[in-house]
Amino acid sequence: MIIARRHGGAGALAVVALTLIACATAMICWWHTRQTTAANAPTVVVSGDTAGTMVAAGCTAKDSGGLARRGTYLAELRKQGDVIYLDAGGAAGGTSAYQKMKFEAILEGERAMGINAHNLGKAELAMGAEYLRELQWRLHFPFISENVRDSAGKRLIEDRRIIEVGGVRVGVIGVASTLYGAPGITIDDPRQAVLDAASAMKGHCNLIIVLASMPQQELRDLASNLPEIDAVIGDGSATAIVPKAVGATMLASTSRNGKSLVELRVPAGRSQGAWEGKLIEMTPAIADDSAQLTNVRRYLSMLEERDFSQRQSDVAVLPELFSTNWRTAGSAACLKCHVTEYDSWIGSKHARAFASLQEKGFHVDSQCQRCHTTGFGISGGFATARQSGTSELAAVGCESCHGPSAAHVKDPKRQTSNRLAFDQCVSCHDAEHSPNFKSAVSWEAIKHGKSSPPGFGRR
């Protein structure tokens, strides 16, 4: 009214109109800033479902994944411009003391890579509210979680983040599926949690990205019902989702075991639908980052000091169908009756399986011991690197294929196992660890036993 009196009728109306237009424009800028991003908009990189995999998941040079490659890729990308690095969750591989040690080493690796926010996913939540709170306090790590509460109804991690890079402010919200509740943990509706967080962030950021840990179909439904959000990125699933528009929102998902990253670019002056996105596989073509290798060596040093047993690490015993009452006898016990077969084995790569780990320093890691030793976790079998590392159990011995043989040694008429040796190969040479393994071809290189008596378990 003061302005109207100062400028007169027509002038006052013009000023009021301009004022209203300015206010309307300000409101539109909140809901539609994704349509006119800055010329120096950052690249957003999202990892997920590392699942306790610090190095490439497999034992072959052709496998993908690993923090060392991720570190190199991010470093090279930052030479081209600003980067926001996020994790959608799922970094842990379990809840045992061994898995927690590995999880914390992964977090230190992410910190070295300049992580901006890490969503609490299914694997993290399984560790429990008390541990996660203590961990955030101890590590001061940038966890985010919008819809997770403890048994008292208090937010587990009271955090969402606004990251400003190159003049662009990106809001990051983290949610998990209600399916992922754990003892002492309750989970609110993810969509409503996102809407409430977005409302609270209104006017403070140019873009909003949601990191979501949930099954793939739920992830798709969430993205379809959040036109207010610029992008929804999920943690690993059976099939990664290549970035694509779902209505008004960009949707993507990483692949399992940290094998690929989601990379998003928002070109200047282009509509929200013009987001550029792709999946980046962490192949052996990407060199290892020295800082990440240093972190891995530190982790291995801690493992060596703790010397975890199978029970402490909670890594699955192979093969799972063997009775816990069976005992191993050691390959030397086979020599008395199976000289030819023993000689065939002693010159094989199986006999050096543990030595190959020692050369790389991974002989102290339970996940590796599982397939590179004999009788891991079985009575009389490989115990720990310190206790069994110099014994004949520190190799893939006869009983790795033919089964625990103490009873067979005592009474040769008793079979070592009701499973054929050939069938044991895929227990370790699976798609995850030996993606190029072909049973028929490899069996020809290792088969033996034509002179063996009945019950030896040969193919």
CSV table of all heavy atoms in Angstrom, one decimal, residues 220-251:
chain,number,residue,atom,x,y,z
A,220,ARG,N,11.8,-48.9,-8.5
A,220,ARG,CA,11.1,-48.3,-9.7
A,220,ARG,C,9.8,-47.6,-9.3
A,220,ARG,O,9.5,-46.5,-9.8
A,220,ARG,CB,10.8,-49.5,-10.7
A,220,ARG,CG,12.0,-50.1,-11.3
A,220,ARG,CD,11.6,-51.3,-12.2
A,220,ARG,NE,12.7,-52.0,-12.7
A,220,ARG,CZ,13.5,-51.7,-13.8
A,220,ARG,NH1,13.1,-50.6,-14.5
A,220,ARG,NH2,14.5,-52.4,-14.2
A,221,ASP,N,9.0,-48.2,-8.4
A,221,ASP,CA,7.8,-47.6,-8.0
A,221,ASP,C,8.1,-46.3,-7.2
A,221,ASP,O,7.3,-45.3,-7.4
A,221,ASP,CB,7.0,-48.6,-7.0
A,221,ASP,CG,6.5,-49.8,-7.7
A,221,ASP,OD1,6.4,-49.8,-9.0
A,221,ASP,OD2,6.2,-50.8,-7.0
A,222,LEU,N,9.1,-46.3,-6.4
A,222,LEU,CA,9.4,-45.0,-5.7
A,222,LEU,C,9.8,-43.9,-6.7
A,222,LEU,O,9.3,-42.8,-6.6
A,222,LEU,CB,10.6,-45.3,-4.8
A,222,LEU,CG,11.1,-44.1,-4.0
A,222,LEU,CD1,10.0,-43.7,-2.9
A,222,LEU,CD2,12.4,-44.4,-3.3
A,223,ALA,N,10.6,-44.2,-7.7
A,223,ALA,CA,11.0,-43.2,-8.7
A,223,ALA,C,9.7,-42.7,-9.5
A,223,ALA,O,9.6,-41.5,-9.8
A,223,ALA,CB,12.0,-43.7,-9.6
A,224,SER,N,8.8,-43.6,-9.8
A,224,SER,CA,7.6,-43.3,-10.6
A,224,SER,C,6.7,-42.4,-9.8
A,224,SER,O,5.9,-41.6,-10.4
A,224,SER,CB,6.9,-44.6,-11.0
A,224,SER,OG,7.6,-45.4,-11.8
A,225,ASN,N,6.8,-42.4,-8.5
A,225,ASN,CA,5.9,-41.6,-7.6
A,225,ASN,C,6.5,-40.4,-7.0
A,225,ASN,O,6.0,-39.9,-6.0
A,225,ASN,CB,5.2,-42.5,-6.6
A,225,ASN,CG,4.2,-43.5,-7.2
A,225,ASN,OD1,3.1,-43.2,-7.5
A,225,ASN,ND2,4.7,-44.8,-7.3
A,226,LEU,N,7.7,-40.0,-7.5
A,226,LEU,CA,8.4,-38.9,-6.9
A,226,LEU,C,8.8,-37.9,-8.0
A,226,LEU,O,9.9,-37.6,-8.3
A,226,LEU,CB,9.6,-39.3,-6.2
A,226,LEU,CG,9.4,-39.9,-4.8
A,226,LEU,CD1,10.7,-40.5,-4.2
A,226,LEU,CD2,8.7,-39.0,-3.8
A,227,PRO,N,7.8,-37.3,-8.7
A,227,PRO,CA,8.1,-36.3,-9.8
A,227,PRO,C,8.8,-35.1,-9.2
A,227,PRO,O,9.4,-34.3,-10.0
A,227,PRO,CB,6.7,-36.0,-10.4
A,227,PRO,CG,5.7,-36.2,-9.3
A,227,PRO,CD,6.3,-37.4,-8.5
A,228,GLU,N,8.7,-34.9,-7.9
A,228,GLU,CA,9.4,-33.7,-7.3
A,228,GLU,C,10.9,-33.9,-7.2
A,228,GLU,O,11.6,-32.9,-6.9
A,228,GLU,CB,8.8,-33.5,-5.9
A,228,GLU,CG,7.3,-33.3,-5.8
A,228,GLU,CD,6.6,-34.6,-5.7
A,228,GLU,OE1,7.2,-35.7,-5.8
A,228,GLU,OE2,5.4,-34.6,-5.4
A,229,ILE,N,11.4,-35.1,-7.4
A,229,ILE,CA,12.8,-35.4,-7.2
A,229,ILE,C,13.5,-35.6,-8.5
A,229,ILE,O,12.9,-36.1,-9.5
A,229,ILE,CB,12.9,-36.7,-6.3
A,229,ILE,CG1,12.2,-36.6,-5.0
A,229,ILE,CG2,14.3,-37.1,-6.1
A,229,ILE,CD1,12.7,-35.4,-4.1
A,230,ASP,N,14.7,-35.1,-8.5
A,230,ASP,CA,15.5,-35.2,-9.8
A,230,ASP,C,16.0,-36.5,-10.2
A,230,ASP,O,16.0,-37.0,-11.3
A,230,ASP,CB,16.6,-34.2,-9.7
A,230,ASP,CG,16.1,-32.7,-9.7
A,230,ASP,OD1,15.9,-32.2,-10.7
A,230,ASP,OD2,16.0,-32.2,-8.5
A,231,ALA,N,16.5,-37.3,-9.2
A,231,ALA,CA,17.0,-38.6,-9.4
A,231,ALA,C,16.9,-39.5,-8.2
A,231,ALA,O,17.0,-39.1,-7.1
A,231,ALA,CB,18.5,-38.5,-9.8
A,232,VAL,N,16.6,-40.8,-8.5
A,232,VAL,CA,16.6,-41.8,-7.5
A,232,VAL,C,17.6,-42.9,-7.9
A,232,VAL,O,17.4,-43.5,-9.0
A,232,VAL,CB,15.1,-42.4,-7.4
A,232,VAL,CG1,15.1,-43.6,-6.4
A,232,VAL,CG2,14.1,-41.4,-6.9
A,233,ILE,N,18.5,-43.2,-7.0
A,233,ILE,CA,19.6,-44.1,-7.3
A,233,ILE,C,19.6,-45.2,-6.3
A,233,ILE,O,19.6,-45.0,-5.1
A,233,ILE,CB,21.0,-43.5,-7.3
A,233,ILE,CG1,21.0,-42.1,-8.1
A,233,ILE,CG2,22.0,-44.4,-7.9
A,233,ILE,CD1,20.6,-42.3,-9.6
A,234,GLY,N,19.5,-46.5,-6.7
A,234,GLY,CA,19.5,-47.6,-5.8
A,234,GLY,C,20.8,-48.3,-5.6
A,234,GLY,O,21.7,-48.1,-6.5
A,235,ASP,N,20.9,-49.1,-4.6
A,235,ASP,CA,22.1,-49.9,-4.4
A,235,ASP,C,22.0,-51.1,-5.2
A,235,ASP,O,21.1,-51.3,-6.0
A,235,ASP,CB,22.3,-50.3,-2.9
A,235,ASP,CG,21.1,-51.0,-2.3
A,235,ASP,OD1,20.1,-51.1,-3.0
A,235,ASP,OD2,21.1,-51.3,-1.1
A,236,GLY,N,23.0,-52.0,-5.2
A,236,GLY,CA,23.1,-53.1,-6.1
A,236,GLY,C,21.9,-54.0,-6.2
A,236,GLY,O,21.2,-54.3,-5.1
A,237,SER,N,21.6,-54.6,-7.3
A,237,SER,CA,20.6,-55.6,-7.5
A,237,SER,C,21.0,-56.6,-8.5
A,237,SER,O,22.1,-56.5,-9.1
A,237,SER,CB,19.3,-54.9,-7.9
A,237,SER,OG,19.5,-54.2,-9.1
A,238,ALA,N,20.2,-57.6,-8.7
A,238,ALA,CA,20.5,-58.7,-9.6
A,238,ALA,C,20.9,-58.1,-11.0
A,238,ALA,O,21.8,-58.6,-11.7
A,238,ALA,CB,19.4,-59.7,-9.8
A,239,THR,N,20.2,-57.1,-11.4
A,239,THR,CA,20.5,-56.5,-12.7
A,239,THR,C,20.6,-55.0,-12.5
A,239,THR,O,19.6,-54.4,-12.0
A,239,THR,CB,19.4,-56.8,-13.8
A,239,THR,OG1,19.2,-58.2,-13.9
A,239,THR,CG2,19.7,-56.2,-15.1
A,240,ALA,N,21.7,-54.4,-12.8
A,240,ALA,CA,21.8,-53.0,-12.7
A,240,ALA,C,20.9,-52.2,-13.6
A,240,ALA,O,20.5,-52.7,-14.6
A,240,ALA,CB,23.3,-52.6,-13.0
A,241,ILE,N,20.5,-51.0,-13.2
A,241,ILE,CA,19.6,-50.2,-14.0
A,241,ILE,C,20.4,-49.1,-14.6
A,241,ILE,O,21.0,-48.2,-13.9
A,241,ILE,CB,18.4,-49.6,-13.2
A,241,ILE,CG1,17.6,-50.7,-12.5
A,241,ILE,CG2,17.5,-48.7,-14.0
A,241,ILE,CD1,16.5,-50.2,-11.6
A,242,VAL,N,20.5,-49.1,-15.9
A,242,VAL,CA,21.2,-48.0,-16.6
A,242,VAL,C,20.4,-46.8,-16.5
A,242,VAL,O,19.1,-46.8,-16.6
A,242,VAL,CB,21.3,-48.4,-18.1
A,242,VAL,CG1,22.0,-47.2,-18.9
A,242,VAL,CG2,22.2,-49.6,-18.3
A,243,PRO,N,21.0,-45.6,-16.2
A,243,PRO,CA,20.2,-44.4,-15.9
A,243,PRO,C,19.2,-44.1,-17.0
A,243,PRO,O,19.5,-44.1,-18.2
A,243,PRO,CB,21.3,-43.3,-15.9
A,243,PRO,CG,22.5,-44.0,-15.4
A,243,PRO,CD,22.4,-45.4,-16.0
A,244,LYS,N,18.0,-43.9,-16.6
A,244,LYS,CA,16.9,-43.6,-17.6
A,244,LYS,C,15.8,-42.7,-16.9
A,244,LYS,O,15.7,-42.8,-15.7
A,244,LYS,CB,16.3,-44.9,-18.1
A,244,LYS,CG,15.6,-45.7,-17.1
A,244,LYS,CD,15.0,-47.0,-17.7
A,244,LYS,CE,14.3,-47.8,-16.6
A,244,LYS,NZ,13.7,-49.0,-17.3
A,245,ALA,N,15.1,-42.0,-17.7
A,245,ALA,CA,14.0,-41.2,-17.2
A,245,ALA,C,12.8,-42.0,-16.9
A,245,ALA,O,12.3,-42.8,-17.7
A,245,ALA,CB,13.6,-40.1,-18.1
A,246,VAL,N,12.2,-41.9,-15.7
A,246,VAL,CA,10.9,-42.5,-15.3
A,246,VAL,C,10.0,-41.4,-15.0
A,246,VAL,O,10.0,-40.8,-13.9
A,246,VAL,CB,11.1,-43.5,-14.1
A,246,VAL,CG1,9.8,-44.1,-13.7
A,246,VAL,CG2,12.1,-44.6,-14.5
A,247,GLY,N,9.2,-41.0,-15.9
A,247,GLY,CA,8.4,-39.8,-15.8
A,247,GLY,C,9.3,-38.6,-15.7
A,247,GLY,O,10.1,-38.3,-16.5
A,248,ALA,N,9.2,-37.8,-14.6
A,248,ALA,CA,10.0,-36.6,-14.4
A,248,ALA,C,11.3,-36.9,-13.6
A,248,ALA,O,12.0,-36.0,-13.3
A,248,ALA,CB,9.1,-35.6,-13.6
A,249,THR,N,11.5,-38.2,-13.3
A,249,THR,CA,12.7,-38.5,-12.4
A,249,THR,C,13.7,-39.4,-13.1
A,249,THR,O,13.3,-40.3,-13.8
A,249,THR,CB,12.2,-39.2,-11.1
A,249,THR,OG1,11.2,-38.3,-10.5
A,249,THR,CG2,13.3,-39.4,-10.2
A,250,MET,N,15.0,-39.2,-12.9
A,250,MET,CA,16.0,-40.1,-13.4
A,250,MET,C,16.1,-41.3,-12.4
A,250,MET,O,16.2,-41.1,-11.2
A,250,MET,CB,17.3,-39.3,-13.5
A,250,MET,CG,18.5,-40.2,-14.1
A,250,MET,SD,18.2,-40.7,-15.7
A,250,MET,CE,18.7,-39.2,-16.6
A,251,LEU,N,16.2,-42.5,-13.0
A,251,LEU,CA,16.3,-43.7,-12.2
A,251,LEU,C,17.5,-44.5,-12.6
A,251,LEU,O,17.8,-44.6,-13.8
A,251,LEU,CB,15.0,-44.6,-12.4
A,251,LEU,CG,15.1,-46.0,-11.8
A,251,LEU,CD1,15.2,-46.0,-10.3
A,251,LEU,CD2,13.9,-46.8,-12.3
